[in-house]
Every structure is written in structure tokens, then in C-alpha cells.
Amino acid sequence: MTALALELCCTMMKDKRHHSYAGVVVKERVLPQALVLVKSPLLQGQALQTLQGFFTALVQSASTSFDILLDALLSTARGSSSGGGPASKQAFHSVAQCAAVLCLAAPDAKCSSIVSMLINSVENSLGQDATQLLSLLCLGEIGRRKDLHSHINLEGVIIRSFQSPSEEIKSAASYALGNIAVGNLSKYLTFILSQIDNQSKLQYLLLHSLKEVIARQSTDDAGKVDFKGTDVQKILALLFTHCQSEEEGIRNVVAECLGKLAILEPGKLVPALKERTLSSSAFTRATVVIAIKYTIVDRPQPIDMHIKPCIDSFLMLIRDEDRHVRRAAVSALSTAAHNKAVLVKDLLPALLPLLYDQTVIKKELIRTVDLGPFKHTVDDGLELRKGAFECVDTLLDNCLDQIDPSSFIDPYLLSGLSDHYDVKMPCHLILSKLAEKCPSAVLAVVDTLVEPLERTVTTKMKPDAVKQEVDRNEDMIRSALRAIESLNRISGDASSRFKAFMNNVVKSGPLAERYNAVRHESDAVVTGDIMDMS
């Protein structure tokens, strides 16, 4: 409705028969609401695109001064005495996009002066985070739509912002540099690639800039990039070199860059990624598996036909000797099952036993760290087990016909129900889902489920536990109670052990009130589902 209303305003302002009158009315009645709308954290998609056209049409109708409108637009993000504090992070991006199209609608000389003003603002707004953040985002949005190479040392100004103590400013500077490069690849892409090699401390931010350049290739017609063959070769050489970086953050950005580039050049990239699954470097193997994960999106792509014949080469690394590689393979399997289950269904008979094995506690991944007066136990396999159970949860949604619930529940789910907090939470969700979709398999082992669930809901916190620990324990108990309620719904004439557990532990004592609250939540969901079906 927002997009349609704004479209109507644009149409009236462009109509020569009454554009002057319409412009005045829109300025008085609609513009104030548009300036409120642009600050909404929910603004996106068609509504945001139409809002950009609205501001342009308003200036072109000659009823509103360019300078006044631009100042009003920028002020909404900076915050003012009448508008309260600074806007949300999303609002900064929305305002920057609207300001960019507004500047591009102005004469070239005016646009150039605005860019110079923004550059000056970036350099001289130290300590004024909102102003500096907005100026950087505006430069990026203008730069991806218009070549800014005439502004001397623009890239140097942006790079200096990488040194800001504010993470938001550094992120905005990275975003700005990448988008400015879209407007002039021959100058700025070369600069980014050389800086990645020469500025080791800035590699993470510079790789994010490169990611912006690659992403704009296919996602934005307004700033579409056309890579030359030599550009692709240079980017690939750099990315494959940094696959072996010691820093996980850098490897993750490299993987995302490779994945987005593979979508654009599947014939070249997919074989290159597959080749590196045999690399002697565990970091490289993990990075290329994560890269494949980024190629599996929820809409059809030409790359799908390239991935399907060889995706097993990536997913079978779930049995790799390195836990980082196994974690990457589990994550890729989960993404494939969620976005394009057809890619992995035929492989599940071989993959499921390997996936289930990742849910088991492995003593060799547990180590003790000596901190002097006391010792701390570190479980390096925790994230892997959590990811494996989350992957099973996804498979239950999209590939249930390939799963034998009985062989998974005992022993794997039972083990997870007695594991760490981070593992128990997805296990409770899985148990609820199995109770709904495979009730007979769950009822067959309901007695064995009582013990781990009872231990969870009767957990007592230490007297000196901090609030965060208490809150986490409460969340875990509520999660377990939801799973118990799912079992209760299908129990019928269940064994005396489960009935005794329900009567003596769950429905009485301190748990009774919390259980009733959970049960009412569940009843409300079921009622809502029935109403939706009606």
C-alpha cells in the first residue's frame, strides 16, 4: 500500500496538467510522512524504491528546493531536537539511498558539490559518528551510480575511516569503498586488490569492500558491474591465496566472495572449488565448502546444474579429519536442505550416518586449560554438535521421507537431550517435531526420554549464579516443557513411567505454573492453525 500511494503521488507530480498544484499539496501533506517513513527499520524492497522516486519527483515538480529537501532528508538520520535521537541502522541506509538518487537528479555541478561536501564531512566529523556514518553511506550510494574519480584521493579519505574506533564507521567505510569501486572498476578495483595485499591489518574490511563489488554484479541493475576476464583472474588469485588465512573472519569473507563469484562464473569457479577440496590445507578445504554454501540460494540459478553433479565432493568432507572442515560441511548440508533439498536428497543415505556421528560427544575434542588458580574445560566439538542437530532439524522439514526416526532418536537424540545447553535447545525442537510427524517412533522410546528431560526441568542453579545463567536455565526449562507437552499430546495410554513423571514432576510442585503457561501457548498455536485451515 505504501508503494502504491507513493506511486500515485509521483504520477500526479509528473502530470503536466496539474503537476504544480499536486507538488504543493504533496509537499505539505505527504512529505512530512515520507520523512517519517524513511526512518522505519521495516522499509525495504518496492516501498524503498518507490520512495526514492518520490523524492526525485518532488524536486522535479519545482515545488520543493533541492537544498531544503536534501537537508531535511539527511537530518532525519542524524537526529534533531524535534525528531529525537539518531535513527536506526537500517534508516541510515534508506536515507543514503534516497539522498543518492536525489543528487543524481540534480545538475552535474550540484551533484559534484554535494559529493565534495560529503567528503569534507567524512574528514572533519571526528567524534560525530552519525554525521560521519551517513556521509560514508551517501558516498557509497552515489559512487555506485556515478563515477567519482574526479574527486582527488577519495579512496584515501575512505581508507582513513578504516582506523575509526567505531565498528559502524569502519563497516560503512568498507561498504562505501566497495560501492564507489562499482562506478569505476578500472581505478578503484585495482586499488582495493593492491591494498588487500599490502595492508594486512585492513584485509578484513578491504575484503568486505571486494564483496560489495562482486555482489553488485548481479543484484543491482542501477550499479551493475561488468568484470573483465583479467579482473576475474586477479580476484580469484587473491581469494585463493587468502583461503589459508589464520583468521576465521577473513576466511569467511573470502568464502562469501568465492560463492558470489561462482554464481556469476559457474563454469570456471565450480571446478576450481572442487579441485581445492583435495587441498592439504584444512583451512582451504573448509573455505571452499563454505563458498559452495553461498552458491545455494532459494531461487533457481544456472549454477545449480554445475553443482548437482559434484556437490558430494564438498558434502562428503563431513568425514574430514579436521573439525573446522566437518563444521563447514554440516553447515553447507543444512543450507542445501533448506534452500534446494533436491540437490542432496539422493546423497542422504550416505550422509546421514556421517551427520549423526557429528552429534556425539568426542573426548578427543575436550581439553583442559590451566588458568593458574583453577582449570577450565573447553569443548571444541560443541559448535559442531549443535550445528549437526540444527541440520537434522532442517532435514526433518524438507527431507523427512529419507530419515528413519527410530535410528536417530536412540542413541543420538537421547545423547543430545543430556548434552550442553546449546545442544539441548535444538534437541527439544527436534523432539517436538518428531512427536508431531512420527508419533509412533517417539512413543516406542518414550520411557527412555523421561530421564534426560527430568534432569533438565529439575536443574537447580548455584546460589552465586549470575542473572544471565539464571535466564539461560529458565529458557532451557521452558524449551524442555514444550517438548514434554508435545509428548503429552500423543501419549494416550503411555507407560506408567511417563504418566508418573507428568503427574509427580511436571504437573505438580514449582513446575506446574510454568508447564500450564507452555500448554496454553501450545493450545493457542493449535487453535490458530485450525483457524488458518478454515
Side-chain angles (χ1 to χ4, degrees), residues 27 30-39 51 54-55 58-59 64-83 85 87 91-92 94-96 98-99 102-103 114 117 134 138:
K27 174 187 174 183
V30 183
L31 177 58
Q33 295 303 315
L35 293 173
V36 173
L37 174 65
V38 77
K39 294 178 68 172
L51 185 60
F54 168 81
F55 284 116
L58 193 56
V59 168
T64 306
S65 160
F66 170 85
D67 292 318
I68 292 174
L69 183 55
L70 181 63
D71 184 63
L73 190 56
L74 297 179
S75 295
T76 60
R78 292 174 182 148
S80 61
S81 56
S82 59
F92 278 96
S94 299
V95 169
C98 291
L102 202 57
C103 291
I114 295 299
M117 180 271 290
L134 183 58
C138 287

Side-chain angles (χ1 to χ4, degrees), residues 337-359:
H338 183 271
N339 291 340
K340 287 195 176 89
V342 67
L343 291 176
V344 298
K345 272 197 171 184
D346 293 342
L347 301 174
L348 288 181
L351 285 172
L352 284 176
L354 301 173
L355 175 64
Y356 294 163
D357 186 56
Q358 307 311 312
T359 68

Side-chain angles (χ1 to χ4, degrees), residues 206-411:
L206 288 163
L207 283 166
H208 270 286
S209 297
L210 178 59
K211 184 187 74 174
E212 286 295 327
V213 178
I214 297 170
R216 293 297 176 189
Q217 169 82 359
S218 59
T219 59
D220 188 356
D221 292 336
K224 188 168 181 177
V225 186
D226 287 319
F227 283 131
K228 297 177 182 177
T230 53
D231 291 336
V232 175
Q233 291 301 327
K234 289 177 183 176
I235 293 171
L236 279 180
L238 182 144
L239 292 175
F240 283 134
T241 298
H242 287 86
C243 278
Q244 300 182 43
S245 172
E246 294 289 330
E247 294 185 37
E248 185 178 4
I250 287 179
R251 296 198 306 273
N252 286 337
V253 184
V254 167
E256 192 169 355
C257 289
L258 286 169
K260 291 182 182 298
L261 201 55
I263 292 175
L264 305 172
E265 299 273 358
K268 184 180 297 183
L269 264 291
V270 173
L273 293 173
K274 179 183 176 182
E275 179 185 340
R276 284 163 177 80
T277 60
L278 302 175
S279 169
S280 59
S281 166
F283 286 156
T284 296
R285 297 196 301 274
T287 302
V288 296
V289 174
I290 297 171
I292 281 295
K293 182 184 82 167
Y294 284 113
T295 68
I296 305 172
V297 294
D298 58 0
R299 57 189 182 280
Q301 291 280 359
I303 195 174
D304 295 345
M305 61 184 292
H306 294 269
I307 293 177
K308 187 170 175 57
C310 65
I311 194 170
D312 59 325
S313 298
F314 299 91
L315 297 183
M316 281 300 178
L317 288 178
I318 199 171
R319 60 188 173 192
D320 196 274
E321 61 185 17
D322 186 273
R323 62 184 170 86
H324 297 97
V325 181
R326 298 199 300 274
R327 177 72 183 95
V330 168
S331 180
L333 174 58
S334 185
T335 299
H338 183 271
N339 291 340
K340 287 195 176 89
V342 67
L343 291 176
V344 298
K345 272 197 171 184
D346 293 342
L347 301 174
L348 288 181
L351 285 172
L352 284 176
L354 301 173
L355 175 64
Y356 294 163
D357 186 56
Q358 307 311 312
T359 68
V360 178
I361 297 174
K362 292 181 168 57
K363 293 182 179 179
E364 63 269 23
L365 294 179
I366 299 175
R367 54 193 170 90
T368 301
V369 179
D370 193 342
L371 300 175
F374 57 93
K375 294 183 179 180
H376 178 61
T377 300
V378 177
D379 186 349
D380 291 326
L382 177 60
E383 282 300 313
L384 179 54
R385 296 199 303 278
K386 177 186 174 186
F389 277 115
E390 289 172 344
C391 182
V392 172
D393 184 53
T394 303
L395 290 168
L396 287 174
D397 287 330
N398 299 325
C399 305
L400 181 61
D401 57 327
Q402 300 291 316
I403 296 175
D404 175 10
S406 298
S407 63
F408 167 70
I409 294 173
D410 189 0

